[in-house]
Amino acid sequence: MSETRTPQMRAVSQDTAGGPDVLKVITTDRPVPGPTEILVRVHAAGVNPTDWKTRAQGAFLTGAEAPFTLGFDVSGVVEEVGPGVTVFAPGDRVFGMPRFPHPAGAYAEYVTAPARHFAPLPAGLDHFQGAALPLASLTAWQALVDTANVQPGARVLIHAAAGGVGHLAVQIAKSRGAYVIGTARQAKHDFLRGLGADELVDYTQQDFAETVRDIDVVLDTISGDYGPRSLRTLRPGGTLVSILPLDDSFPAARAREAGIRAGFMLVEPDRAGLRAVADLVNSGKLQVNVDTVLPLEEAAKAHALGETGRTTGKIVLSVAP
């Protein structure tokens, strides 16, 4: 009697932490969905700063050990559903950020994850756009809506406004009726005005902390000295949300004395948030900019490009043929 052969798939793996060259394409067993999980055939995978930090530091958020497969952003089609799944069926187009901060293994032809870590992909999006959305849009949504509760008329300052999180945050803030100020290089100002930004600061030419005032909410996507400098722009009672940990030099006492709420927020898998983002896409209030699409085999090139910090929007890997 012949043995049943486990279906195989291509995936990008690494055996050690290091530079982009540690990423390699391997052949491995295709995963099987467990109870409440779905098997998704990945059409595209988003590339995020979290990816290259994990590659360089070895799953820095979770402490996992190599070998592992990177990737948190998934856009694809449901191939199979596990026991108990009622929200999806084979053939459904989905997008999501499953299992974060544990790597979902999105740099692969198939992934399994809890069904409710996904949402239906908006009908007007292709899989490249779908893969560019989850982590960045959920970060912006959870920071501006769930954490800062941005209201109509609020003055919102967004750092690195043309980046993956930033360009989506500009649009989400505008959808909430905010007045949006962004920091970005001059070459990206027209792009950001097209997304609705009201005011822009070229951080290479002027210090935003000297020119921007009366801010209600700051979204800090950079960290370092941007947090302390941003305190000078905030009104008493304002909110500073950093998507990176605040280091020991952050003047927390000064923030408290000024009545400013400041803290670090880590994005979470969020079906409701994904559906809210999809509603904005469907209503024409949110568009995602895909800067570059590269094949799965060029994951190392995608990381090297991302680490330059000069992309506008998102980098995406094409996975399915």
Side-chain angles (χ1 to χ4, degrees), residues 45-52 71 73 107 131-132 299 302-303 306 313-317:
V47 178
N48 297 286
T50 301
D51 296 12
W52 53 80
D73 278 338
Y107 294 9
H303 278 222
K314 295 295 298 293
I315 301 169
V316 173
L317 295 175

Side-chain angles (χ1 to χ4, degrees), residues 6-87:
T6 302
Q8 302 288 286
M9 69 174 185
R10 292 180 306 137
V12 173
S13 182
Q14 63 183 94
D15 294 324
T16 185
D21 59 339
V22 303
L23 300 176
K24 59 184 181 180
V25 177
I26 64 168
T27 298
T28 187
D29 291 346
R30 194 174 86 180
V32 176
T36 76
E37 293 185 340
I38 57 176
L39 174 69
V40 176
R41 186 182 186 194
V42 180
H43 283 237
V47 178
N48 297 286
T50 301
D51 296 12
W52 53 80
K53 291 175 183 177
T54 301
R55 182 212 73 226
Q57 301 176 33
F60 77 109
L61 286 174
T62 62
E65 295 183 0
F68 53 80
T69 293
L70 288 170
F72 303 97
D73 278 338
V74 176
S75 185
V77 175
V78 177
E79 183 87 0
E80 184 182 338
V81 300
V85 173
T86 60
V87 293

Side-chain angles (χ1 to χ4, degrees), residues 11-272:
V12 173
S13 182
Q14 63 183 94
D15 294 324
T16 185
D21 59 339
V22 303
L23 300 176
K24 59 184 181 180
V25 177
I26 64 168
T27 298
T28 187
D29 291 346
R30 194 174 86 180
V32 176
T36 76
E37 293 185 340
I38 57 176
L39 174 69
V40 176
R41 186 182 186 194
V42 180
H43 283 237
V47 178
N48 297 286
T50 301
D51 296 12
W52 53 80
K53 291 175 183 177
T54 301
R55 182 212 73 226
Q57 301 176 33
F60 77 109
L61 286 174
T62 62
E65 295 183 0
F68 53 80
T69 293
L70 288 170
F72 303 97
D73 278 338
V74 176
S75 185
V77 175
V78 177
E79 183 87 0
E80 184 182 338
V81 300
V85 173
T86 60
V87 293
F88 292 117
D92 289 344
R93 298 190 334 143
V94 295
F95 76 125
M97 183 197 70
R99 304 190 187 279
F100 189 87
H102 302 274
Y107 294 9
E109 291 181 308
Y110 293 89
V111 299
T112 56
R116 293 177 187 271
H117 286 188
F118 292 90
L121 182 66
L125 296 188
D126 60 31
H127 285 295
F128 302 134
Q129 295 165 313
L133 267 177
L135 191 149
S137 66
L138 283 179
T139 299
W141 180 267
Q142 291 174 11
L144 296 176
V145 180
D146 295 342
T147 302
N149 190 26
V150 169
Q151 295 294 309
R155 288 171 56 84
V156 177
L157 173 61
I158 297 170
H159 291 307
V165 172
H167 86 289
L168 297 170
V170 167
Q171 298 171 79
I172 289 172
K174 291 302 296 181
S175 78
R176 305 282 290 182
Y179 181 92
V180 177
I181 303 168
T183 62
R185 290 175 176 267
Q186 179 68 41
K188 299 183 179 182
H189 286 194
D190 286 345
F191 166 71
L192 289 166
R193 289 191 186 96
L195 299 180
D198 297 289
E199 191 176 328
L200 294 160
V201 178
D202 181 353
Y203 64 88
T204 69
Q205 300 297 319
Q206 59 186 140
D207 182 359
F208 71 88
E210 297 294 335
T211 59
V212 178
R213 289 292 180 271
D214 298 323
I215 296 298
D216 295 293
V217 176
V218 173
L219 177 57
D220 178 12
T221 67
I222 300 175
S223 194
D225 69 347
Y226 269 69
R229 289 163 63 203
S230 294
L231 292 179
R232 294 158 57 189
T233 73
L234 281 158
R235 291 173 174 166
T239 300
L240 185 153
V241 184
S242 175
I243 65 171
L244 294 165
L246 300 170
D247 61 31
D248 293 339
S249 67
F250 184 80
R254 178 155 61 89
R256 287 194 298 271
E257 289 169 4
I260 292 169
R261 183 165 65 117
F264 160 56
M265 186 212 81
L266 185 63
V267 65
E268 303 173 56
D270 180 1
R271 179 175 169 82

